[in-house]
Structure formats: structure tokens, C-alpha cells
Amino acid sequence: MNFVYLIMYHFLIQSCLSCQTMAGERLELEKLKKEAAEKEEEIKRKNEEVMNLTTKVAILETELSAAKEERDNLKESVNLDGMGKDEIVKRAWELRDQAVARKNTVEIELAKTRIECMHVNSQLMEAIQQKITLSEQIDQWQVSITY
């Protein structure tokens, strides 16, 4: 009879150890889930910060360009007072050529910005893919713990 109790006692101890192991693994799983959520929030905050800074830079560049253009136009208008008609027409052509050059420069800058935006989007997609992979691993681990 004592032998039966001894076997039952041993079985109960083994069951408790299994429960403790499973509880430890569940705690680890919860910790990993929390870390994944924190990383996701950090990525979200960083992306928002990048977008805000990019917008601010674009606005400041536009304002600077407009101020420079206004300054140059004011300088030119001071110089045009003593010019003849042919000189004024020549100066107008020069201003037009400068405006076309600025437009081309802005178009190039826009293309570069679009490329940068696509790069940031690519990085974001990579981060999302990593999160999905981690979530799948956590789910698989959770399933393996459960069974």
C-alpha cells in the first residue's frame, strides 16, 4: 500500500513540475508579446517622427527658396530702373531661364524625396514582416506549450 502512495506522490510531484515549467513558459511568452508590442509602438512613433520632420524640412526649404527668389527679384528691380527696353527684355529672358532651372531642380528634388519615401516605406514593410514573423513564432510556441 505504501508503494502505491509513493508512486502517486511521485506522479503528483512530476505533474507539479510540469505545471511550473508550463507557467514559466507562459510568463516568457507574455514577456515576448509585451516586447513585440513595445517594439511596434516604437516603430510607429519613429515613423511618425520621420514624417513630421520630413514635412517640416520640405516647408522650410520652400520658404527659404521663396525668400531667396523675392530677394533676387527686389535686387533686379532696383537695377532695372536705368535699363533700356532691350536690356529689360534680355533680363526677363534670364529670369525665365532661371525659373525653368529652379523648376527642374525642384523636380529633381521631388524625385529624390519620392525615392526616400519609398525607401522608408520599404523599411516599414520589413519591420512589419519581422513583427509578423515574431508573432507567428510566438503563436507556434504557445501552441507547442499548450499541447
Side-chain angles (χ1 to χ4, degrees):
M1 189 78 160
N2 287 337
F3 182 71
V4 173
Y5 286 125
L6 183 63
I7 291 175
M8 290 176 60
Y9 176 74
H10 180 68
F11 178 73
L12 288 173
I13 289 175
Q14 288 297 324
S15 296
C16 289
L17 290 176
S18 297
C19 292
Q20 289 174 356
T21 303
M22 187 178 282
E25 290 174 346
R26 283 191 181 143
L27 288 174
E28 183 68 23
L29 177 63
E30 291 302 317
K31 180 182 173 187
L32 289 173
K33 283 183 179 181
K34 183 179 178 184
E35 287 177 10
E38 289 172 357
K39 292 292 183 184
E40 181 180 354
E41 286 299 316
E42 182 180 347
I43 289 170
K44 190 184 242 185
R45 283 193 308 273
K46 293 292 183 182
N47 284 332
E48 288 174 6
E49 184 179 343
V50 166
M51 293 302 288
N52 288 337
L53 291 175
T54 302
T55 302
K56 286 180 182 179
V57 167
I59 290 169
L60 290 174
E61 286 176 346
T62 303
E63 289 175 353
L64 179 61
S65 176
K68 285 180 179 179
E69 184 177 346
E70 185 178 347
R71 179 202 62 201
D72 293 342
N73 287 337
L74 289 173
K75 282 183 180 179
E76 294 302 321
S77 67
V78 169
N79 293 335
L80 288 178
D81 290 341
M83 291 183 166
K85 187 175 183 178
D86 289 338
E87 292 176 18
I88 292 173
V89 169
K90 182 179 176 185
R91 184 64 193 140
W93 285 343
E94 289 173 0
L95 287 174
R96 183 207 60 202
D97 292 343
Q98 290 173 359
V100 168
R102 282 193 309 271
K103 178 191 77 98
N104 291 340
T105 302
V106 168
E107 287 176 349
I108 290 170
E109 193 64 33
L110 177 62
K112 288 179 182 178
T113 303
R114 285 183 178 157
I115 290 169
E116 289 174 12
C117 184
M118 288 188 309
H119 180 70
V120 169
N121 283 340
S122 174
Q123 289 176 337
L124 177 61
M125 292 304 293
E126 287 178 25
I128 290 170
Q129 185 60 42
Q130 287 176 352
K131 181 188 179 288
I132 290 170
T133 302
L134 287 173
S135 294
E136 289 173 352
Q137 288 174 351
I138 288 171
D139 289 343
Q140 289 173 356
W141 192 45
Q142 188 175 19
V143 167
S144 68
I145 288 173
T146 306
Y147 296 110

